[in-house]
Amino acid sequence: MKIKKTSSIRSQMVLYFSILLIIPLLFTAIYVYVTIETGLKQSYSRHQSGSVEILASEIEVWRQSYEDISLRIFGDRLIQQFLQVNEWAPNVELLSLRTDVRNRLVWYEEYNQYVRAIYVLNDHSMATGRLFDPRIY
């Protein structure tokens, strides 16, 4: 009987010490989890905000660049002359004008790093611009 009492006391002590160890470990684990989760959420939020700001500034640069090149194209006398042609008969003067406009559009494409192709379409559905080159894209 004496063995059972010591065994019982020993098992009770192990149980109590285990509880005394497990409870602080559990609270510590919960505290660390909540702290890390909050920190990660804040870090993720800051990272996303930074990414959004960078993307917004890049979009603004692109928009400004496209606006600038559009104003240059629409203000170009040669392109305006092309757009004002009323009849497209296959003669040397008009073909030369179309070639000159195409060359000017190619120059505008090379002027801007964001532009891959520019086409101009007049009222008579006559388009001009660089021919499609799949290697560019």
Side-chain angles (χ1 to χ4, degrees):
M1 275 237 209
K2 200 175 185 182
I3 296 175
K4 288 187 177 187
K5 281 187 180 183
T6 57
S7 171
S8 165
I9 291 175
R10 185 180 302 154
S11 62
Q12 285 179 358
M13 286 180 67
V14 167
L15 176 67
Y16 290 133
F17 282 125
S18 297
I19 291 173
L20 287 175
L21 288 173
I22 290 175
I23 289 175
L25 285 174
L26 183 63
F27 282 125
T28 303
I30 291 172
Y31 174 76
V32 167
Y33 174 79
V34 169
T35 304
I36 289 175
E37 181 185 33
T38 304
L40 286 176
K41 283 181 181 178
Q42 290 173 353
S43 174
Y44 180 74
S45 176
R46 281 192 308 269
H47 176 70
Q48 289 294 41
S49 296
S51 296
V52 166
E53 288 175 12
I54 290 170
L55 183 59
S57 68
E58 285 182 17
I59 289 173
E60 178 61 25
V61 166
W62 294 342
R63 186 198 60 78
Q64 185 66 36
S65 176
Y66 295 142
E67 186 177 302
D68 178 51
I69 199 165
S70 296
L71 291 174
R72 288 179 186 265
I73 289 171
F74 293 127
D76 192 309
R77 290 180 191 258
L78 184 64
I79 294 173
Q80 289 300 319
Q81 184 181 357
F82 169 78
L83 293 173
Q84 292 173 357
V85 172
N86 289 327
E87 289 189 31
W88 278 96
N91 63 31
V92 174
E93 182 182 322
L94 291 178
L95 292 175
S96 174
L97 174 64
R98 188 172 182 194
T99 302
D100 291 343
V101 168
R102 183 179 301 125
N103 290 336
R104 184 71 55 94
L105 291 175
V106 168
W107 181 82
Y108 281 124
E109 290 171 20
E110 293 171 355
Y111 166 77
N112 190 315
Q113 67 182 4
Y114 302 112
V115 175
R116 296 287 181 248
I118 300 173
Y119 294 93
V120 176
L121 184 68
N122 67 8
D123 290 339
H124 304 289
S125 299
M126 180 62 106
T128 190
R130 184 186 296 205
L131 294 176
F132 177 71
D133 186 0
R135 292 174 293 171
I136 294 175
Y137 306 97

Tab-separated table of all heavy atoms in Angstrom, residues 76-128:
chain	number	residue	atom	x	y	z
A	76	ASP	N	1.748	67.689	-85.493
A	76	ASP	CA	2.706	67.571	-86.599
A	76	ASP	C	2.025	67.969	-87.914
A	76	ASP	O	0.992	67.424	-88.286
A	76	ASP	CB	3.210	66.131	-86.672
A	76	ASP	CG	4.396	65.971	-87.578
A	76	ASP	OD1	4.327	66.435	-88.745
A	76	ASP	OD2	5.389	65.373	-87.143
A	77	ARG	N	2.625	68.909	-88.636
A	77	ARG	CA	2.035	69.403	-89.892
A	77	ARG	C	1.945	68.317	-90.956
A	77	ARG	O	0.973	68.261	-91.709
A	77	ARG	CB	2.842	70.583	-90.422
A	77	ARG	CG	2.705	71.824	-89.583
A	77	ARG	CD	3.539	72.944	-90.186
A	77	ARG	NE	3.627	74.053	-89.268
A	77	ARG	CZ	2.895	75.152	-89.408
A	77	ARG	NH1	2.061	75.271	-90.398
A	77	ARG	NH2	3.019	76.122	-88.530
A	78	LEU	N	2.955	67.476	-91.028
A	78	LEU	CA	2.960	66.411	-92.035
A	78	LEU	C	1.808	65.437	-91.795
A	78	LEU	O	1.097	65.055	-92.735
A	78	LEU	CB	4.306	65.675	-92.007
A	78	LEU	CG	4.521	64.601	-93.062
A	78	LEU	CD1	4.525	65.230	-94.462
A	78	LEU	CD2	5.819	63.868	-92.805
A	79	ILE	N	1.602	65.080	-90.549
A	79	ILE	CA	0.503	64.160	-90.234
A	79	ILE	C	-0.839	64.840	-90.451
A	79	ILE	O	-1.786	64.217	-90.959
A	79	ILE	CB	0.660	63.625	-88.796
A	79	ILE	CG1	1.928	62.761	-88.737
A	79	ILE	CG2	-0.555	62.830	-88.360
A	79	ILE	CD1	2.314	62.289	-87.373
A	80	GLN	N	-0.945	66.113	-90.116
A	80	GLN	CA	-2.186	66.851	-90.389
A	80	GLN	C	-2.462	66.916	-91.886
A	80	GLN	O	-3.619	66.790	-92.315
A	80	GLN	CB	-2.110	68.260	-89.787
A	80	GLN	CG	-2.185	68.282	-88.280
A	80	GLN	CD	-3.478	67.686	-87.767
A	80	GLN	OE1	-4.558	67.915	-88.315
A	80	GLN	NE2	-3.376	66.909	-86.701
A	81	GLN	N	-1.421	67.084	-92.659
A	81	GLN	CA	-1.579	67.106	-94.119
A	81	GLN	C	-2.097	65.747	-94.604
A	81	GLN	O	-2.989	65.681	-95.449
A	81	GLN	CB	-0.242	67.429	-94.784
A	81	GLN	CG	-0.311	67.572	-96.276
A	81	GLN	CD	1.076	67.862	-96.871
A	81	GLN	OE1	2.063	68.005	-96.159
A	81	GLN	NE2	1.117	67.931	-98.186
A	82	PHE	N	-1.566	64.664	-94.054
A	82	PHE	CA	-2.029	63.323	-94.407
A	82	PHE	C	-3.501	63.150	-94.045
A	82	PHE	O	-4.282	62.579	-94.803
A	82	PHE	CB	-1.177	62.266	-93.681
A	82	PHE	CG	-1.732	60.871	-93.760
A	82	PHE	CD1	-1.582	60.114	-94.915
A	82	PHE	CD2	-2.399	60.313	-92.679
A	82	PHE	CE1	-2.089	58.828	-94.975
A	82	PHE	CE2	-2.911	59.028	-92.740
A	82	PHE	CZ	-2.749	58.277	-93.889
A	83	LEU	N	-3.886	63.641	-92.884
A	83	LEU	CA	-5.268	63.484	-92.424
A	83	LEU	C	-6.252	64.329	-93.228
A	83	LEU	O	-7.443	64.031	-93.264
A	83	LEU	CB	-5.370	63.828	-90.942
A	83	LEU	CG	-4.649	62.873	-89.990
A	83	LEU	CD1	-4.690	63.417	-88.568
A	83	LEU	CD2	-5.247	61.485	-90.057
A	84	GLN	N	-5.771	65.382	-93.895
A	84	GLN	CA	-6.663	66.269	-94.626
A	84	GLN	C	-6.821	65.903	-96.098
A	84	GLN	O	-7.568	66.561	-96.810
A	84	GLN	CB	-6.169	67.706	-94.502
A	84	GLN	CG	-6.308	68.226	-93.083
A	84	GLN	CD	-5.675	69.578	-92.896
A	84	GLN	OE1	-5.068	70.140	-93.814
A	84	GLN	NE2	-5.791	70.129	-91.702
A	85	VAL	N	-6.154	64.855	-96.552
A	85	VAL	CA	-6.290	64.442	-97.952
A	85	VAL	C	-7.710	63.920	-98.154
A	85	VAL	O	-8.181	63.053	-97.414
A	85	VAL	CB	-5.248	63.357	-98.304
A	85	VAL	CG1	-5.519	62.794	-99.681
A	85	VAL	CG2	-3.847	63.933	-98.216
A	86	ASN	N	-8.399	64.465	-99.179
A	86	ASN	CA	-9.794	64.080	-99.424
A	86	ASN	C	-9.925	62.847	-100.296
A	86	ASN	O	-10.764	61.993	-100.045
A	86	ASN	CB	-10.563	65.242	-100.059
A	86	ASN	CG	-10.792	66.356	-99.050
A	86	ASN	OD1	-10.960	66.086	-97.871
A	86	ASN	ND2	-10.762	67.589	-99.511
A	87	GLU	N	-9.130	62.744	-101.326
A	87	GLU	CA	-9.225	61.596	-102.233
A	87	GLU	C	-7.888	60.891	-102.316
A	87	GLU	O	-6.856	61.521	-102.515
A	87	GLU	CB	-9.636	62.056	-103.634
A	87	GLU	CG	-11.074	62.511	-103.701
A	87	GLU	CD	-11.494	62.756	-105.132
A	87	GLU	OE1	-10.971	62.080	-106.029
A	87	GLU	OE2	-12.333	63.630	-105.338
A	88	TRP	N	-7.945	59.584	-102.221
A	88	TRP	CA	-6.720	58.795	-102.284
A	88	TRP	C	-6.636	58.097	-103.627
A	88	TRP	O	-7.134	56.999	-103.811
A	88	TRP	CB	-6.673	57.771	-101.151
A	88	TRP	CG	-6.197	58.392	-99.902
A	88	TRP	CD1	-6.956	58.886	-98.904
A	88	TRP	CD2	-4.850	58.646	-99.550
A	88	TRP	NE1	-6.185	59.433	-97.929
A	88	TRP	CE2	-4.877	59.293	-98.297
A	88	TRP	CE3	-3.617	58.411	-100.150
A	88	TRP	CZ2	-3.716	59.698	-97.643
A	88	TRP	CZ3	-2.475	58.801	-99.485
A	88	TRP	CH2	-2.526	59.440	-98.257
A	89	ALA	N	-6.003	58.781	-104.529
A	89	ALA	CA	-5.712	58.185	-105.839
A	89	ALA	C	-4.247	57.744	-105.799
A	89	ALA	O	-3.405	58.429	-105.219
A	89	ALA	CB	-5.927	59.202	-106.949
A	90	PRO	N	-3.940	56.623	-106.378
A	90	PRO	CA	-2.553	56.142	-106.333
A	90	PRO	C	-1.621	56.989	-107.208
A	90	PRO	O	-1.309	56.624	-108.331
A	90	PRO	CB	-2.651	54.703	-106.835
A	90	PRO	CG	-3.900	54.641	-107.635
A	90	PRO	CD	-4.822	55.672	-107.073
A	91	ASN	N	-1.191	58.118	-106.706
A	91	ASN	CA	-0.219	58.928	-107.444
A	91	ASN	C	1.049	59.083	-106.593
A	91	ASN	O	1.074	58.773	-105.411
A	91	ASN	CB	-0.807	60.283	-107.852
A	91	ASN	CG	-1.191	61.140	-106.667
A	91	ASN	OD1	-0.576	61.063	-105.614
A	91	ASN	ND2	-2.224	61.959	-106.832
A	92	VAL	N	2.077	59.563	-107.223
A	92	VAL	CA	3.394	59.636	-106.587
A	92	VAL	C	3.377	60.564	-105.377
A	92	VAL	O	3.975	60.262	-104.333
A	92	VAL	CB	4.452	60.095	-107.622
A	92	VAL	CG1	5.791	60.313	-106.955
A	92	VAL	CG2	4.556	59.100	-108.751
A	93	GLU	N	2.689	61.683	-105.484
A	93	GLU	CA	2.674	62.655	-104.402
A	93	GLU	C	2.034	62.076	-103.135
A	93	GLU	O	2.577	62.205	-102.039
A	93	GLU	CB	1.912	63.908	-104.843
A	93	GLU	CG	1.888	64.997	-103.796
A	93	GLU	CD	1.089	66.195	-104.268
A	93	GLU	OE1	1.175	66.541	-105.460
A	93	GLU	OE2	0.384	66.762	-103.427
A	94	LEU	N	0.902	61.414	-103.292
A	94	LEU	CA	0.212	60.843	-102.130
A	94	LEU	C	0.986	59.659	-101.549
A	94	LEU	O	1.039	59.486	-100.330
A	94	LEU	CB	-1.203	60.433	-102.504
A	94	LEU	CG	-2.153	61.602	-102.802
A	94	LEU	CD1	-3.523	61.080	-103.205
A	94	LEU	CD2	-2.262	62.532	-101.622
A	95	LEU	N	1.566	58.833	-102.404
A	95	LEU	CA	2.364	57.716	-101.904
A	95	LEU	C	3.604	58.224	-101.165
A	95	LEU	O	4.023	57.660	-100.150
A	95	LEU	CB	2.756	56.778	-103.044
A	95	LEU	CG	1.585	55.998	-103.667
A	95	LEU	CD1	2.071	55.189	-104.857
A	95	LEU	CD2	0.916	55.106	-102.649
A	96	SER	N	4.186	59.295	-101.681
A	96	SER	CA	5.331	59.906	-101.014
A	96	SER	C	4.917	60.484	-99.658
A	96	SER	O	5.632	60.336	-98.658
A	96	SER	CB	5.925	61.001	-101.900
A	96	SER	OG	6.930	61.691	-101.221
A	97	LEU	N	3.757	61.137	-99.613
A	97	LEU	CA	3.243	61.687	-98.355
A	97	LEU	C	3.017	60.560	-97.348
A	97	LEU	O	3.396	60.674	-96.180
A	97	LEU	CB	1.941	62.452	-98.605
A	97	LEU	CG	1.219	62.968	-97.360
A	97	LEU	CD1	2.082	63.991	-96.637
A	97	LEU	CD2	-0.124	63.553	-97.741
A	98	ARG	N	2.402	59.479	-97.805
A	98	ARG	CA	2.140	58.346	-96.914
A	98	ARG	C	3.454	57.752	-96.388
A	98	ARG	O	3.565	57.424	-95.208
A	98	ARG	CB	1.334	57.295	-97.660
A	98	ARG	CG	0.864	56.181	-96.765
A	98	ARG	CD	-0.086	55.274	-97.474
A	98	ARG	NE	-0.540	54.242	-96.566
A	98	ARG	CZ	-1.156	53.172	-96.926
A	98	ARG	NH1	-1.438	52.973	-98.194
A	98	ARG	NH2	-1.527	52.276	-96.051
A	99	THR	N	4.459	57.642	-97.248
A	99	THR	CA	5.764	57.136	-96.826
A	99	THR	C	6.412	58.075	-95.817
A	99	THR	O	6.975	57.632	-94.803
A	99	THR	CB	6.685	56.951	-98.044
A	99	THR	OG1	6.056	56.053	-98.958
A	99	THR	CG2	8.028	56.407	-97.633
A	100	ASP	N	6.314	59.375	-96.067
A	100	ASP	CA	6.879	60.354	-95.138
A	100	ASP	C	6.181	60.291	-93.774
A	100	ASP	O	6.828	60.372	-92.731
A	100	ASP	CB	6.777	61.767	-95.706
A	100	ASP	CG	7.690	61.987	-96.901
A	100	ASP	OD1	8.629	61.178	-97.084
A	100	ASP	OD2	7.455	62.960	-97.650
A	101	VAL	N	4.877	60.140	-93.798
A	101	VAL	CA	4.119	60.039	-92.548
A	101	VAL	C	4.506	58.761	-91.807
A	101	VAL	O	4.707	58.769	-90.588
A	101	VAL	CB	2.597	60.100	-92.818
A	101	VAL	CG1	1.817	59.703	-91.580
A	101	VAL	CG2	2.192	61.484	-93.271
A	102	ARG	N	4.627	57.665	-92.539
A	102	ARG	CA	5.033	56.407	-91.925
A	102	ARG	C	6.415	56.557	-91.266
A	102	ARG	O	6.627	56.122	-90.133
A	102	ARG	CB	5.067	55.284	-92.952
A	102	ARG	CG	5.424	53.934	-92.329
A	102	ARG	CD	5.434	52.801	-93.329
A	102	ARG	NE	4.135	52.660	-93.963
A	102	ARG	CZ	3.949	52.679	-95.283
A	102	ARG	NH1	4.958	52.826	-96.109
A	102	ARG	NH2	2.734	52.530	-95.780
A	103	ASN	N	7.343	57.182	-91.966
A	103	ASN	CA	8.679	57.394	-91.403
A	103	ASN	C	8.628	58.290	-90.160
A	103	ASN	O	9.352	58.067	-89.194
A	103	ASN	CB	9.614	58.002	-92.450
A	103	ASN	CG	9.950	57.010	-93.537
A	103	ASN	OD1	9.883	55.792	-93.342
A	103	ASN	ND2	10.304	57.517	-94.711
A	104	ARG	N	7.773	59.296	-90.211
A	104	ARG	CA	7.624	60.180	-89.054
A	104	ARG	C	7.049	59.412	-87.863
A	104	ARG	O	7.491	59.584	-86.727
A	104	ARG	CB	6.700	61.346	-89.422
A	104	ARG	CG	6.526	62.404	-88.368
A	104	ARG	CD	7.769	63.273	-88.148
A	104	ARG	NE	8.254	63.889	-89.358
A	104	ARG	CZ	7.935	65.108	-89.790
A	104	ARG	NH1	7.130	65.858	-89.078
A	104	ARG	NH2	8.430	65.586	-90.895
A	105	LEU	N	6.079	58.547	-88.117
A	105	LEU	CA	5.499	57.747	-87.033
A	105	LEU	C	6.526	56.775	-86.449
A	105	LEU	O	6.565	56.554	-85.232
A	105	LEU	CB	4.266	56.993	-87.521
A	105	LEU	CG	3.049	57.869	-87.841
A	105	LEU	CD1	1.938	57.032	-88.435
A	105	LEU	CD2	2.570	58.622	-86.627
A	106	VAL	N	7.360	56.217	-87.307
A	106	VAL	CA	8.427	55.342	-86.822
A	106	VAL	C	9.379	56.134	-85.937
A	106	VAL	O	9.830	55.646	-84.891
A	106	VAL	CB	9.167	54.679	-88.010
A	106	VAL	CG1	10.449	54.012	-87.546
A	106	VAL	CG2	8.264	53.670	-88.701
A	107	TRP	N	9.675	57.361	-86.332
A	107	TRP	CA	10.538	58.214	-85.511
A	107	TRP	C	9.901	58.467	-84.143
A	107	TRP	O	10.567	58.419	-83.119
A	107	TRP	CB	10.813	59.538	-86.231
A	107	TRP	CG	11.722	60.424	-85.440
A	107	TRP	CD1	13.080	60.371	-85.389
A	107	TRP	CD2	11.315	61.479	-84.559
A	107	TRP	NE1	13.546	61.338	-84.523
A	107	TRP	CE2	12.484	62.035	-84.004
A	107	TRP	CE3	10.089	62.013	-84.191
A	107	TRP	CZ2	12.461	63.087	-83.106
A	107	TRP	CZ3	10.060	63.062	-83.299
A	107	TRP	CH2	11.245	63.586	-82.760
A	108	TYR	N	8.592	58.738	-84.144
A	108	TYR	CA	7.894	58.951	-82.872
A	108	TYR	C	7.918	57.684	-82.013
A	108	TYR	O	8.017	57.758	-80.791
A	108	TYR	CB	6.450	59.388	-83.096
A	108	TYR	CG	6.305	60.847	-83.445
A	108	TYR	CD1	5.652	61.238	-84.604
A	108	TYR	CD2	6.801	61.840	-82.618
A	108	TYR	CE1	5.507	62.578	-84.931
A	108	TYR	CE2	6.668	63.174	-82.928
A	108	TYR	CZ	6.014	63.537	-84.088
A	108	TYR	OH	5.883	64.864	-84.396
A	109	GLU	N	7.806	56.519	-82.634
A	109	GLU	CA	7.878	55.264	-81.886
A	109	GLU	C	9.240	55.118	-81.225
A	109	GLU	O	9.331	54.692	-80.069
A	109	GLU	CB	7.647	54.069	-82.812
A	109	GLU	CG	6.242	53.928	-83.323
A	109	GLU	CD	6.142	52.860	-84.395
A	109	GLU	OE1	7.034	51.997	-84.482
A	109	GLU	OE2	5.172	52.900	-85.170
A	110	GLU	N	10.276	55.435	-81.953
A	110	GLU	CA	11.625	55.298	-81.406
A	110	GLU	C	11.926	56.381	-80.371
A	110	GLU	O	12.772	56.185	-79.507
A	110	GLU	CB	12.642	55.336	-82.539
A	110	GLU	CG	12.530	54.121	-83.441
A	110	GLU	CD	13.360	54.220	-84.704
A	110	GLU	OE1	13.970	55.281	-84.944
A	110	GLU	OE2	13.386	53.241	-85.456
A	111	TYR	N	11.214	57.495	-80.460
A	111	TYR	CA	11.389	58.605	-79.526
A	111	TYR	C	10.908	58.220	-78.127
A	111	TYR	O	11.438	58.674	-77.135
A	111	TYR	CB	10.616	59.816	-80.052
A	111	TYR	CG	10.409	60.937	-79.072
A	111	TYR	CD1	11.439	61.816	-78.756
A	111	TYR	CD2	9.176	61.129	-78.460
A	111	TYR	CE1	11.246	62.844	-77.864
A	111	TYR	CE2	8.975	62.151	-77.562
A	111	TYR	CZ	10.008	63.013	-77.265
A	111	TYR	OH	9.816	64.028	-76.376
A	112	ASN	N	9.890	57.383	-78.046
A	112	ASN	CA	9.271	57.036	-76.779
A	112	ASN	C	9.544	55.572	-76.453
A	112	ASN	O	9.248	54.694	-77.248
A	112	ASN	CB	7.763	57.284	-76.868
A	112	ASN	CG	7.097	57.187	-75.532
A	112	ASN	OD1	7.352	56.273	-74.770
A	112	ASN	ND2	6.229	58.135	-75.247
A	113	GLN	N	10.066	55.307	-75.280
A	113	GLN	CA	10.427	53.943	-74.908
A	113	GLN	C	9.222	53.060	-74.601
A	113	GLN	O	9.333	51.839	-74.598
A	113	GLN	CB	11.360	53.955	-73.705
A	113	GLN	CG	10.709	54.458	-72.430
A	113	GLN	CD	11.677	54.490	-71.270
A	113	GLN	OE1	12.851	54.204	-71.432
A	113	GLN	NE2	11.192	54.847	-70.105
A	114	TYR	N	8.057	53.641	-74.333
A	114	TYR	CA	6.880	52.862	-73.974
A	114	TYR	C	6.012	52.504	-75.177
A	114	TYR	O	5.132	51.669	-75.069
A	114	TYR	CB	6.015	53.622	-72.956
A	114	TYR	CG	6.764	53.972	-71.697
A	114	TYR	CD1	7.064	55.288	-71.387
A	114	TYR	CD2	7.177	52.980	-70.827
A	114	TYR	CE1	7.752	55.598	-70.233
A	114	TYR	CE2	7.873	53.292	-69.678
A	114	TYR	CZ	8.154	54.606	-69.389
A	114	TYR	OH	8.841	54.920	-68.252
A	115	VAL	N	6.242	53.119	-76.317
A	115	VAL	CA	5.389	52.922	-77.480
A	115	VAL	C	5.992	51.854	-78.372
A	115	VAL	O	7.177	51.882	-78.686
A	115	VAL	CB	5.220	54.250	-78.257
A	115	VAL	CG1	4.436	54.022	-79.531
A	115	VAL	CG2	4.544	55.286	-77.390
A	116	ARG	N	5.167	50.904	-78.797
A	116	ARG	CA	5.620	49.839	-79.691
A	116	ARG	C	5.150	50.058	-81.125
A	116	ARG	O	5.812	49.630	-82.050
A	116	ARG	CB	5.117	48.483	-79.208
A	116	ARG	CG	5.661	48.080	-77.882
A	116	ARG	CD	7.120	47.679	-78.023
A	116	ARG	NE	7.656	47.261	-76.748
A	116	ARG	CZ	8.566	47.939	-76.079
A	116	ARG	NH1	9.046	49.054	-76.545
A	116	ARG	NH2	9.005	47.506	-74.925
A	117	ALA	N	4.033	50.696	-81.302
A	117	ALA	CA	3.520	50.929	-82.651
A	117	ALA	C	2.536	52.089	-82.621
A	117	ALA	O	1.773	52.240	-81.665
A	117	ALA	CB	2.838	49.684	-83.193
A	118	ILE	N	2.577	52.894	-83.685
A	118	ILE	CA	1.643	54.008	-83.826
A	118	ILE	C	1.039	53.908	-85.216
A	118	ILE	O	1.756	53.739	-86.201
A	118	ILE	CB	2.349	55.367	-83.688
A	118	ILE	CG1	3.009	55.492	-82.321
A	118	ILE	CG2	1.352	56.505	-83.901
A	118	ILE	CD1	3.861	56.734	-82.178
A	119	TYR	N	-0.263	54.011	-85.266
A	119	TYR	CA	-0.978	54.024	-86.534
A	119	TYR	C	-1.886	55.242	-86.561
A	119	TYR	O	-2.444	55.625	-85.541
A	119	TYR	CB	-1.819	52.754	-86.702
A	119	TYR	CG	-0.977	51.516	-86.822
A	119	TYR	CD1	-0.663	50.766	-85.705
A	119	TYR	CD2	-0.468	51.116	-88.049
A	119	TYR	CE1	0.133	49.641	-85.801
A	119	TYR	CE2	0.324	49.996	-88.154
A	119	TYR	CZ	0.619	49.265	-87.026
A	119	TYR	OH	1.416	48.162	-87.130
A	120	VAL	N	-2.027	55.806	-87.746
A	120	VAL	CA	-2.925	56.943	-87.935
A	120	VAL	C	-3.947	56.523	-88.969
A	120	VAL	O	-3.613	55.972	-90.019
A	120	VAL	CB	-2.150	58.192	-88.408
A	120	VAL	CG1	-3.105	59.326	-88.702
A	120	VAL	CG2	-1.144	58.615	-87.356
A	121	LEU	N	-5.206	56.802	-88.669
A	121	LEU	CA	-6.310	56.449	-89.551
A	121	LEU	C	-7.044	57.730	-89.922
A	121	LEU	O	-7.492	58.464	-89.045
A	121	LEU	CB	-7.257	55.483	-88.826
A	121	LEU	CG	-8.426	54.922	-89.599
A	121	LEU	CD1	-7.930	53.977	-90.678
A	121	LEU	CD2	-9.358	54.191	-88.644
A	122	ASN	N	-7.184	57.989	-91.239
A	122	ASN	CA	-7.874	59.213	-91.646
A	122	ASN	C	-9.367	58.945	-91.837
A	122	ASN	O	-9.856	57.843	-91.578
A	122	ASN	CB	-7.236	59.812	-92.911
A	122	ASN	CG	-7.411	58.948	-94.132
A	122	ASN	OD1	-8.143	57.957	-94.111
A	122	ASN	ND2	-6.732	59.298	-95.211
A	123	ASP	N	-10.098	59.956	-92.287
A	123	ASP	CA	-11.554	59.837	-92.450
A	123	ASP	C	-11.962	58.811	-93.494
A	123	ASP	O	-13.088	58.331	-93.488
A	123	ASP	CB	-12.146	61.199	-92.828
A	123	ASP	CG	-12.095	62.167	-91.670
A	123	ASP	OD1	-11.985	61.694	-90.521
A	123	ASP	OD2	-12.152	63.383	-91.896
A	124	HIS	N	-11.061	58.478	-94.397
A	124	HIS	CA	-11.371	57.534	-95.468
A	124	HIS	C	-10.852	56.134	-95.152
A	124	HIS	O	-10.666	55.317	-96.052
A	124	HIS	CB	-10.765	58.032	-96.788
A	124	HIS	CG	-11.227	59.408	-97.151
A	124	HIS	ND1	-12.505	59.673	-97.571
A	124	HIS	CD2	-10.593	60.603	-97.114
A	124	HIS	CE1	-12.636	60.968	-97.800
A	124	HIS	NE2	-11.480	61.557	-97.527
A	125	SER	N	-10.616	55.870	-93.887
A	125	SER	CA	-10.131	54.577	-93.406
A	125	SER	C	-8.802	54.183	-94.027
A	125	SER	O	-8.510	52.998	-94.201
A	125	SER	CB	-11.176	53.477	-93.652
A	125	SER	OG	-12.350	53.774	-92.951
A	126	MET	N	-7.994	55.156	-94.341
A	126	MET	CA	-6.649	54.897	-94.844
A	126	MET	C	-5.708	54.969	-93.647
A	126	MET	O	-5.571	56.013	-93.022
A	126	MET	CB	-6.261	55.926	-95.913
A	126	MET	CG	-4.883	55.698	-96.473
A	126	MET	SD	-4.776	54.125	-97.278
A	126	MET	CE	-4.781	54.638	-98.952
A	127	ALA	N	-5.069	53.849	-93.346
A	127	ALA	CA	-4.177	53.782	-92.198
A	127	ALA	C	-2.737	53.797	-92.661
A	127	ALA	O	-2.411	53.318	-93.738
A	127	ALA	CB	-4.444	52.513	-91.390
A	128	THR	N	-1.898	54.317	-91.803
A	128	THR	CA	-0.470	54.263	-92.070
A	128	THR	C	0.261	54.112	-90.748
A	128	THR	O	-0.226	54.518	-89.702
A	128	THR	CB	0.035	55.499	-92.842
A	128	THR	OG1	1.374	55.266	-93.258
A	128	THR	CG2	-0.035	56.743	-92.003
